[in-house]
Amino acid sequence: MKKNLLALTLAILSCPAWSADWALISETEDPEKITSWYVDMTSIVHEDDYMRAFLRTSWSAPQFGPDKTAYQSSTYLNYFDCDARKIAFTANTYFSSTEPVGTPIHQEAERKLDKLTFQPVVPGSAGESRLQFVCKFRSKNFLTQHSSHTTAAG
């Protein structure tokens, strides 16, 4: 029984889309190849000196991984260093449809915060839009999570 409960808990944690409240952050303007970026509003939290949120990217046209497998959406965990204007990515999950539903076609495990590489955002990029959107919640105390956060990969 405990093993089944643990397996169910791990499955739910690995797929944030099940209870997500996706809000559109930005979208490309090319009508022939639309890329849309979303954030799960229920996932935005303070963690240590960072903001953390689950995000999603959806493409109107299939994208192809290194093994030539097509996908049209991905979910991922971002950490934001609002002051330094940097982002770190982890826990990527890829789906064949534009919505993050069904069995993922590829998953990359979440790495611990101290193992992540933060990269500066490019002005005017989708990364900057994500950073600006999530960091505006930094001063709000509606959700706070401490570094005691543990994950399935953890």
Side-chain angles (χ1 to χ4, degrees):
M1 178 70 173
K2 285 184 180 180
K3 286 183 181 179
N4 289 342
L5 183 58
L6 178 61
L8 179 61
T9 302
L10 293 176
I12 291 170
L13 288 174
S14 70
C15 189
W18 288 357
S19 61
D21 178 15
W22 295 115
L24 181 66
I25 297 173
S26 64
E27 198 165 59
T28 59
E29 296 179 14
D30 181 356
E32 294 185 27
K33 187 177 178 187
I34 299 171
T35 305
S36 305
W37 291 273
Y38 301 85
V39 64
D40 174 6
M41 295 299 294
T42 65
S43 73
I44 300 171
V45 295
H46 296 262
E47 184 165 330
D48 296 330
D49 293 329
Y50 304 101
M51 293 297 293
R52 179 175 61 92
F54 278 104
L55 289 105
R56 175 179 121 214
T57 302
S58 296
W59 296 269
S60 62
Q63 307 297 299
F64 295 93
D67 66 352
K68 307 296 184 222
T69 301
Y71 61 93
Q72 281 191 259
S73 67
S74 66
T75 60
Y76 42 94
L77 183 61
N78 274 177
Y79 284 88
F80 299 87
D81 184 332
C82 298
D83 292 328
R85 301 182 48 77
K86 293 182 177 185
I87 299 177
F89 301 85
T90 188
N92 297 299
T93 304
Y94 299 86
F95 298 88
S96 58
S97 69
T98 57
E99 294 293 323
V101 295
T103 303
I105 59 169
H106 179 73
Q107 287 183 288
E108 298 166 7
E110 181 177 342
R111 291 180 294 147
K112 292 183 178 185
L113 180 58
D114 63 353
K115 302 293 184 200
L116 299 179
T117 302
F118 281 80
Q119 302 172 352
V121 298
V122 175
S125 69
E128 182 179 50
S129 295
R130 292 191 304 264
L131 179 114
Q132 288 175 340
F133 186 90
V134 171
C135 288
K136 72 183 177 184
F137 294 98
R138 178 172 60 164
S139 63
K140 298 179 181 177
N141 292 323
F142 66 100
L143 292 174
T144 301
Q145 184 157 340
H146 299 288
S147 62
S148 61
H149 171 69
T150 58
T151 66

